[in-house]
Amino acid sequence: MASNEVVFDESLGGDFDSSLAGARRAVGFVAECARSVDTLSDPDLLRIQRELSDLARELGASAAVVAGEIGHRSRRELGFSGLAQREGFRTPEALVRHETGSTARNASALVQAGTMARESAAPETSSSAEPWFREVGAAVAVGCISVDAARAIRVGLGAPSEGSGAVTADALSDAAHLLVIEATIVDADELLRLARRLRDDLDDTGIADRERAAFEERSVRRTRRPNGLSRYIIDPDIESAAFWDDVYDTLTSPRRGGVRFVDDADREWAAAISTDERTTDQYVHDAFTQLLRIAVGAETGESRRIMGARQPSVRVLVTRTALEAGHGHGRIEGCDIPISIETVERIACESGTVQLDFDEAGRPLDLGREQRLYSKRQRIALAAAQGGCLFGDCDRPPSWCEAHHSRRWKRDQGETNILDGVLLCRYHHLLVHNNGWEIVRDDTGFWLIPPRNVDPEQRPRPMPSKSAALRDLRVLSA
């Protein structure tokens, strides 16, 4: 096999296993040697760092090739019969993230790089959506460039454009060729800057197209920080970025040498900000949060048109014992991180409380067969008891979930009660109904039964509660 050729052959499974076993032994030997790095000279230390990085790049290339095949077997047109969907994941990236234990960003980079590598393997027959990246894919497949470098080239160069001054696929292919060479010299961050610069040079007359692309790419994304809390990443379009920047600059101007304030009220405001004990980042966080609260609480037609009838709210769960005793902690629904009893008391003072009773059997609010849909109060109780979608490691919070009858309403003549209610996000609710998954309940809780095409033995998978508040209650009752 040529060194720049990638072959996907299912018959190689045995060879893969023996190769992996050898790689594990080699990694173990290297790890053993690494324990004595303190004895190395400076030049040897840097040399070994470079060589280990080379090995990591080659292993990353193999991981990308495998991820690309996972992506191919999970492609959109396969629907629920795709590999990722059969395993209970929305996307191949989600499945790769689960299997590798990596971040969403790294899993996405693996799948993208692997897809480019796969499509470069057979350019004559490939129906590549991005043929201008074939050389990038080939370079990844043989370990010449890293997965991060491939991602930088792809993000920086983008796609061909149309109209006057259009950037053609051939022009992007030429740019990608140059960047593959540069990738052996510079790091991925610098490569991204070079890729963007090349794109700008190619597309100097396409200002309107780039502006339109920035507008289409505007987004607010939510990810998870290491401590479990949310992180919001804002990517505004050009005009919105200018507005955000102006708001930010206005808020922080008194601390950053902004314009002089001549109005008495403005001077007092500026003085208060300048002497505020919060850091600038903390102050901006609190200011933006307060602006959002003012906006969503406005009794105007515009606010209702954007938000709908349901107003955003924070639901806190706490045991009655902790609340009455004034010590312990509570939980914000959908978040595993505890909050102090002082914060619980403040929120209760502002918003009031609703009592939910649970006994060892999980006392149901039973509506029998008279009402098919779960009531608002039942859904509150299900949210407190289950904490979100119970399917696998899905992280969708209760507010994203629908109540599923484990004993189905029509087929099993199931009843609308909490004992048989299971919170599932929309995706997994459809998966259960349309793809042959079953959910059963016994005295210990709910169990997920996969279809035979996923697990021929149909071994039950536990569906434990994800509610930190319920864990608190069980600990207290123990």
Side-chain angles (χ1 to χ4, degrees):
M1 183 173 66
S3 61
N4 63 346
E5 184 180 5
V6 182
V7 175
F8 295 85
D9 186 347
E10 293 181 1
S11 67
L12 294 179
D15 291 341
F16 268 123
D17 287 340
S18 60
S19 297
L20 285 172
R24 287 194 186 95
R25 288 193 295 272
V27 168
F29 178 73
V30 171
E32 184 69 28
C33 294
R35 294 191 179 95
S36 59
V37 293
D38 57 337
T39 65
L40 297 174
S41 66
D42 289 353
D44 283 341
L45 187 66
L46 297 177
R47 175 181 55 81
I48 289 175
Q49 179 70 81
R50 289 192 298 269
E51 291 183 5
L52 286 175
S53 297
D54 290 341
L55 288 173
R57 184 180 64 249
E58 293 175 13
L59 284 174
S62 299
V65 169
V66 173
E69 182 66 16
I70 291 173
H72 177 70
R73 298 185 189 187
S74 308
R75 58 193 184 276
R76 185 182 298 274
E77 58 265 30
L78 296 178
F80 280 119
S81 65
L83 173 60
Q85 292 82 353
R86 289 201 316 272
E87 293 293 327
F89 295 89
R90 294 178 182 81
T91 63
E93 291 82 2
L95 175 56
V96 170
R97 178 185 178 186
H98 172 78
E99 295 296 327
T100 61
S102 65
T103 64
R105 184 184 185 279
N106 288 343
S108 176
L110 270 179
V111 174
Q112 289 175 6
T115 298
M116 289 190 285
R118 192 181 200 285
E119 291 173 345
S120 72
E124 299 82 6
T125 59
S126 174
S127 58
S128 171
E130 299 175 325
W132 52 93
F133 290 133
R134 279 179 180 150
E135 185 173 351
V136 179
V140 170
V142 296
C144 288
I145 68 173
S146 68
V147 171
D148 288 336
R151 180 187 180 92
I153 294 173
R154 184 177 184 273
V155 171
L157 288 184
S161 61
E162 298 177 355
S164 62
V167 177
T168 64
D170 287 341
L172 289 180
S173 294
D174 293 340
H177 170 75
L178 295 175
L179 290 168
V180 167
I181 296 173
E182 289 291 333
T184 63
I185 305 171
V186 302
D187 60 41
D189 288 339
E190 179 62 22
L191 192 65
L192 177 59
R193 286 189 284 271
L194 290 174
R196 286 174 173 162
R197 195 178 306 156
L198 270 177
R199 177 63 193 231
D200 288 341
D201 291 343
L202 290 170
D203 203 11
D204 189 51
T205 61
I207 294 175
D209 290 335
R210 294 200 296 276
E211 182 180 356
R212 189 179 304 110
F215 181 77
E216 292 299 328
E217 293 170 359
R218 70 196 188 281
S219 68
V220 175
R221 289 169 289 153
R222 182 175 65 180
T223 63
R224 290 290 178 188
R225 292 151 57 186
N227 64 4
L229 289 175
S230 299
R231 168 172 284 135
Y232 289 89
I233 302 172
I234 303 170
D235 290 315
D237 60 78
I238 297 174
E239 186 178 346
S240 297
F243 174 73
W244 279 80
D245 287 344
D246 193 45
V247 173
Y248 180 91
D249 289 342
T250 300
L251 288 171
T252 60
S253 179
R255 293 188 174 191
R256 300 168 61 235
V259 298
R260 294 172 58 192
F261 297 94
V262 297
D263 182 86
D264 288 342
D266 281 346
R267 278 201 300 269
E268 291 176 6
W269 167 77
I273 293 175
S274 298
T275 57
D276 196 296
E277 294 182 354
R278 291 170 289 183
T279 67
T280 299
D281 289 347
Q282 290 169 342
Y283 173 75
V284 172
H285 168 277
D286 295 348
F288 271 93
T289 302
Q290 188 60 27
L291 288 172
L292 282 174
R293 283 177 173 154
I294 292 170
V296 300
E299 296 293 335
T300 65
E302 184 69 13
S303 175
R304 186 179 178 87
R305 185 180 68 83
I306 295 174
M307 298 297 303
R310 181 185 178 276
Q311 294 295 301
S313 60
V314 174
R315 182 172 291 140
V316 175
L317 304 173
V318 62
T319 63
R320 182 170 55 191
T321 301
L323 189 60
E324 291 178 350
H327 61 78
H329 60 265
R331 308 272 182 174
I332 292 177
E333 185 177 281
C335 178
D336 279 348
I337 301 174
I339 58 175
S340 67
I341 199 66
E342 290 80 11
T343 297
V344 172
E345 290 172 341
R346 175 177 56 77
I347 295 175
C349 181
E350 293 173 356
S351 307
T353 62
V354 175
Q355 179 173 318
L356 300 174
D357 292 321
F358 294 93
D359 57 22
E360 293 181 357
R363 183 184 304 164
L365 301 176
D366 193 354
L367 298 184
R369 295 281 304 167
E370 299 300 319
Q371 181 172 320
R372 177 171 183 171
L373 300 179
Y374 282 84
S375 69
K376 180 179 179 180
R377 187 175 177 84
Q378 283 180 305
R379 287 180 59 84
I380 291 174
L382 283 173
Q386 298 179 8
C389 178
L390 292 190
F391 196 108
D393 58 0
C394 181
D395 61 357
R396 294 297 189 257
S399 59
W400 285 44
C401 293
E402 301 171 350
H404 168 74
H405 294 75
S406 60
R407 295 185 66 250
R408 299 194 185 182
W409 173 267
K410 184 174 182 180
R411 187 190 68 184
D412 304 326
Q413 293 295 295
E415 296 186 350
T416 303
N417 59 50
I418 292 179
L419 282 178
D420 293 321
V422 181
L423 288 185
L424 297 174
C425 69
R426 177 68 173 170
Y427 174 82
H428 284 122
H429 201 179
L430 288 173
L431 184 71
V432 166
H433 278 276
N434 299 338
N435 242 40
W437 295 75
E438 292 288 341
I439 296 176
V440 298
R441 177 179 62 83
D442 62 16
D443 292 339
T444 64
F446 293 103
W447 297 85
L448 184 65
I449 312 296
R452 292 191 183 278
N453 64 337
V454 173
D455 181 359
E457 298 181 17
Q458 293 191 294
R459 289 165 290 195
R461 304 178 183 181
M463 302 179 74
S465 168
K466 297 175 181 177
S467 170
L470 187 60
R471 291 199 299 272
D472 291 342
L473 182 61
R474 286 171 174 164
V475 169
L476 191 65
S477 302

